Amino acid sequence: MTERNNWLITETRFHPAALHHKETVFTIGNGYLGTRGTFEEGYPGDRPATFVHGLFDAAPLVNTELVNAPNWLPFVPVINGERFRMDRGTLLSYRRELHLRNGLLKRTVCWRSPAGHTVELRIERFASLADRHLLAIRCRIIPLDFDGILELRAGLDGHALNPECFHWHLEDQGACGEHTVYLHMRTRHSGIALCEACHLTVSGGEEMNWTHLDCDAAPAIVASLKVRAGEPVSADKLVSLVTSREAGDVVSTALSLLEGARTRGYDGLLQASTEAWAQEWDVCDITIEGDDQADQALRYNLFQLLIAAPRHDDRASIPAKALSGFGYRGHVFWDTEIFMLPFFTFMRPELARNMLMYRYHTLPGARRKAQEQGYAGAMFAWESADTGDETTPRFVPGPNGQLVRIWTGDIEHHITADVAYAIVQYWQATGDDAFMRDYGAEIVLDTARFWGSRVEWNQARAQYEINDVIGPDEYHEHVNNNAFTNRMAQWNLENALDILAWLRLTCPDKAAELETRLELTEEQLSHWRRIIGNLYIPRHNATSLLEQFDGFFALGDINLADYEPRTVSMQALLGIEGVQQYQVLKQPDVLMLLYLLREEYDIAALRENWAYYAPRTDITYGSSLGPAIHALLAARLGEVDQAYHYFMHAARTDLDDTRGNAADGIHAATAGGLWQAVVFGFAGLRMKGNGYTLAPHLPPHWRKLAFTFYHRGKRAYVSLPDDETQG
Ligand code: BGC
């Protein structure tokens, strides 16, 4: 199949020095697991990893982390006794392609071994989107200039490390006939069992014998063949992977799934997966005509979101680095609700619902956190894993090896309102009343209870306040009255009252049940109303310029241009303490608020705050969450050139490793922010009751921008610039 370039991510050189970055870029997955783009034959220093949703285990310092599952990739051709290795011998040609259309990762190589035997290899792999437990590798080898012996080793490797920890102990391993081996492991603390089983078939060549390598926790199948110049050999390695989160007996389940996969064969599995992808793209694709780079990069980012979203599991959510790397240990942040979720809410509401259900299931952890800190209700963890308990490390090693205290887990409280915000946004966009009645309302009400207990009364000011927090701009710690936090808390309380009123009307039994269980007395509700009417939000005199927090305007001013050229963040430059003395932001804070509550802040307010805060934001080297939001806001303000500049900066974050940390995994919040920048920024989509409006600000060279979305169960089609601006 020849593929249009915008659907392909291509690499034409083998980059041993950028191994880890490229492993991230070529991550594949299927919403159940993600596998980094490590080469099948393995290289010294490579970082193979497969992450399965929900597969957590306790870890020192970081509390708990997503476990690196046994590596299912190992596939090593040995040519006349020489192991295929692109860093030895001569690499005559090389090309790797990620096919975004169906998630197939393909490599074509021509390689001459040190002894002078030349082979052409084509190796491809995919994780089936049609059957989450199935993975497959196909390798075709042509000996070009020799007759000889080809050995193919296909195995499973249980020596899968996390950066500081090994999480597994071996339960069992074995073989079932000549062509199949399996590996049965269990995590050390959480006790989750996992089984991988693999099956190898070969066609072409003259079969000599089949054996097994039974190394500890690394079983493999070895096929030896006589091969002749010019005659291709093809091998299929099919793998099944199951954990005790889905099955009682993981070994027999994995083996029977593998048996089913064998009957369908590689082609059958690929076809089913390709069909599943076609349905996915039918809904989720966005086309940008006139700008191949933007079109391709956006599609790549959406692909990464689609492979990371839990499809069959409502007890998992997308971690900050998706399922593609060790960064942030698989923990879930506000990145999911505020940056990624809108894409799913409007394109794949079923998947958005799964991720919101994850917050419902982790309410017990959120309640424990509130209680431990002396508050009522539910207070979501800044970093969340399987139980919802706080998993932010209290200390991390700093640049000089000293331990740095991390405060976000203690005082970055806005996450609690962010979760409520995502629930209400989902409800409004989908009209999923059943979700709101059965689950969402409980979250919004219990988070409101938290805020009710969190505020403090300031007698001198005669207003409520929220003190000692970190807002979205994490350069400033322990601040009072962060405008974002205060207004979002107030919004959380307002929506709790509205939802309770709706529930009383539409489902009085449920309302009564929640009122009793969450102790929503009249006194509590009046307390909420008083806070709503009287919560302090700092602003400059009587203007619409918000003050990021108490005393922000009195901090030293800074001209970021004076620090150019630089390659590090302002925090790295000025130090953790130093940066707090200045009006410099890691990422949008007040502007983020104005974006989220865009229905209530008009364009004049946005312009005024943009003029103040945008030049003070460390947009290039601060948080990767910033550029897509700046793109969106600049587009809304009609500053299309600036918007496009930020947009492309965000779009290339992982493909070009612009921040130098793509090795740690995909910047999933950036991916979600890009979708929002296109749809809510460049296209200017706004929901209005049962319809919508568009206020496009397209970059002039975009000939066409086309996408679809769901609104209250109905599918809408947008094609700009020709569309009417109403739907
Ligand atoms: C950002 C946070 C974000 C976290 C995980 C931090 O650097 O400041 O806003 O949630 O990274 O992506």
Side-chain angles (χ1 to χ4, degrees), residues 320 328 333-335 339 382 412 472 474 586-587 623-625 669:
Y328 290 124
F333 293 68
W334 75 315
D335 304 35
F339 294 82
W382 177 246
E412 193 153 354
E474 294 175 348
K586 181 180 181 187
Q587 64 203 83
S623 166
S624 61
L625 277 59

Side-chain angles (χ1 to χ4, degrees), residues 605-666:
L606 176 60
R607 199 174 296 286
E608 189 175 357
N609 284 279
W610 172 263
Y612 195 84
Y613 287 106
R616 292 171 172 82
T617 308
D618 188 5
I619 204 73
T620 313
Y621 305 104
S623 166
S624 61
L625 277 59
I629 300 301
H630 269 208
L632 192 161
L633 293 174
R636 282 197 66 203
L637 290 167
E639 305 286 348
V640 177
D641 286 354
Q642 271 195 68
Y644 183 72
H645 166 79
Y646 291 129
F647 177 77
M648 286 312 286
H649 176 79
R652 307 297 303 180
T653 304
D654 291 314
L655 289 172
D656 297 344
D657 196 11
T658 53
R659 292 180 174 261
N661 63 356
D664 295 338
I666 290 293

